[in-house]
């Protein structure tokens, strides 16, 4: 069972396949097993790593409380353990914040970061305002309706049930991740790092609008933008085929040498 040490905390992770490395970072309701549809589809071409942040899945959950500021270090611990020097980190929702911060902490190990359904905690007044407006609309919906489309819930009650069960394996909760979003990196800090950034979003995301994501892309020169038609916030789960195709396309695209700051 692969375990990485993150400043004394045991972090569980898995490694599958071979080729250029992709490391997936789950959101507030996920853990390593949430990526089952990605591992199966991508491991023939890529090295696919999945990780449980502390308090999630099989990682150490014994601490009295969790600090979201520790999560980027959990990702870095896996990169160090595997001695990876050209990873593409793919975050889901709030996990994208941990992914971006991990990339900025270890740019020598991370070539690119994909912000899935997230702005990655970027500190920018206009983006903060846009994201807050999106959240104000999202909270009007039941949680499950923010994450999966109603049609999917009706047509795939089995996968909807499994999706909801995933979170029951976790001790940490959403409130333990929220402070990740404080003191985020600036656009200048991201540019200076040399880490390439891609925004990956779904057309039907009820949490973060396409308009907001597109504006973030416009404000970060050199960034990439992938908008998947008819896809919800939890695109990796509901529409895995176009999600997997987008991730593979980005991994192939973002392999050029990083520009020096």
């Amino acid at each position: 069972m692969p375990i990485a040490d993150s400043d004394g905390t045991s972090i569980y992770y898995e490694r599958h396949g071979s080729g250029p490395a992709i490391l997936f970072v789950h959101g507030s309701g996920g853990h390593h097993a949430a990526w089952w549809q990605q591992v199966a589809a991508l491991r023939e071409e890529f090295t696919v790593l999945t990780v449980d942040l502390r308090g999630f899945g099989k990682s150490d959950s014994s601490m009295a409380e969790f600090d979201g500021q520790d999560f980027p270090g959990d990702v870095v611990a896996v990169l160090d353990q595997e001695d990876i020097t050209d990873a593409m980190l793919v975050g889901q929702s709030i996990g994208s914040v941990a992914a971006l911060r991990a990339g900025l902490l270890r740019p020598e190990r991370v070539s690119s970061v994909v912000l899935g359904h997230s702005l990655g905690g970027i500190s920018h007044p206009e983006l903060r305002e846009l994201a807050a407006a999106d959240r104000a609309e999202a909270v009007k919906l039941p949680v499950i309706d923010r994450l999966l489309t109603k049609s999917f819930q009706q047509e795939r009650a089995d996968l909807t049930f499994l999706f909801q069960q995933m979170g029951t394996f976790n001790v940490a909760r959403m409130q333990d991740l929220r402070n990740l979003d404080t003191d985020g990196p600036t656009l200048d800090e991201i540019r200076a790092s040399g880490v390439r950034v891609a925004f990956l979003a779904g057309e039907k995301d009820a949490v973060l609008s396409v308009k907001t994501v597109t504006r973030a892309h416009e404000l970060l020169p050199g960034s990439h933008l992938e908008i998947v038609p008819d896809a919800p916030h939890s695109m990796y789960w509901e529409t895995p085929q176009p999600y997997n195709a987008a991730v593979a396309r980005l991994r192939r695209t973002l392999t050029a040498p990083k520009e020096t700051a």
Side-chain angles (χ1 to χ4, degrees):
M1 186 171 71
I3 296 292
D5 183 279
S6 179
D7 291 328
T9 298
S10 297
I11 301 300
Y12 178 85
Y13 72 96
E14 294 185 359
R15 177 171 182 160
H16 303 272
S18 61
I22 301 173
L23 189 155
F24 288 98
V25 185
H26 62 78
S28 61
H31 46 73
H32 72 277
W35 302 108
W36 59 284
Q37 298 179 98
Q38 284 65 57
V39 172
L42 299 171
R43 63 188 172 188
E44 294 302 316
E45 182 179 354
F46 305 102
T47 297
V48 181
L49 297 108
T50 57
V51 59
D52 289 339
L53 300 173
R54 65 185 63 202
F56 293 82
K58 293 184 175 182
S59 286
D60 188 358
S61 303
S62 62
M63 53 283 292
E65 59 183 6
F66 304 95
D67 185 348
Q69 298 289 335
D70 293 327
F71 293 135
D74 298 344
V75 176
V76 167
V78 174
L79 295 172
D80 288 345
Q81 175 83 7
E82 291 293 316
D83 194 23
I84 292 173
T85 57
D86 183 33
M88 182 175 83
L89 307 184
V90 181
Q92 168 61 23
S93 193
I94 196 88
S96 294
V97 184
L100 180 57
R101 292 195 177 204
L104 298 182
L105 283 171
R106 287 288 194 280
E108 71 276 13
R109 295 200 178 278
V110 177
S111 60
S112 56
V113 178
V114 178
L115 305 178
H117 306 274
S118 171
L119 301 183
I122 295 172
S123 178
H124 188 277
E126 182 183 351
L127 294 180
R128 191 179 304 114
E129 185 176 330
L130 289 171
D134 288 345
R135 281 194 298 271
E137 290 301 312
V139 297
K140 298 176 183 178
L141 301 172
V143 173
I144 192 63
D145 290 346
R146 302 174 205 170
L147 308 178
L148 302 172
T149 64
K150 284 185 176 294
S151 60
F152 181 82
Q153 295 174 52
Q154 294 167 355
E155 295 166 10
R156 295 307 309 265
D158 53 348
L159 286 181
T160 300
F161 177 73
L162 181 59
F163 178 81
Q164 293 172 303
Q165 291 298 104
M166 281 286 174
T168 65
F169 292 90
N170 302 327
V171 175
R173 292 292 180 261
M174 181 64 183
Q175 56 266 32
D176 298 310
L177 283 77
R178 286 197 182 279
N179 74 328
L180 259 176
D181 227 359
T182 61
D183 300 322
T186 65
L187 297 173
D188 287 340
E189 288 171 337
I190 295 171
R191 283 193 292 265
S193 74
V195 173
R196 298 186 171 205
V197 172
F199 296 93
L200 175 59
E203 182 184 31
K204 293 185 177 179
D205 191 335
V207 177
L208 189 67
S209 70
V210 168
K211 175 185 174 182
T212 297
V213 176
T214 300
R215 183 57 181 148
H217 163 62
E218 292 170 348
L219 288 168
L220 185 58
S223 64
H224 292 244
L225 176 65
E226 287 265 354
I227 304 295
V228 178
D230 299 320
H233 187 74
S234 294
M235 171 166 53
Y236 73 99
W237 188 273
E238 180 172 332
T239 56
Q241 289 81 12
Y243 177 88
N244 296 341
V247 169
R249 187 163 52 247
L250 287 168
R251 173 69 260 204
R252 298 184 197 113
T253 300
L254 303 176
T255 53
K258 291 182 288 187
E259 297 178 0
T260 56

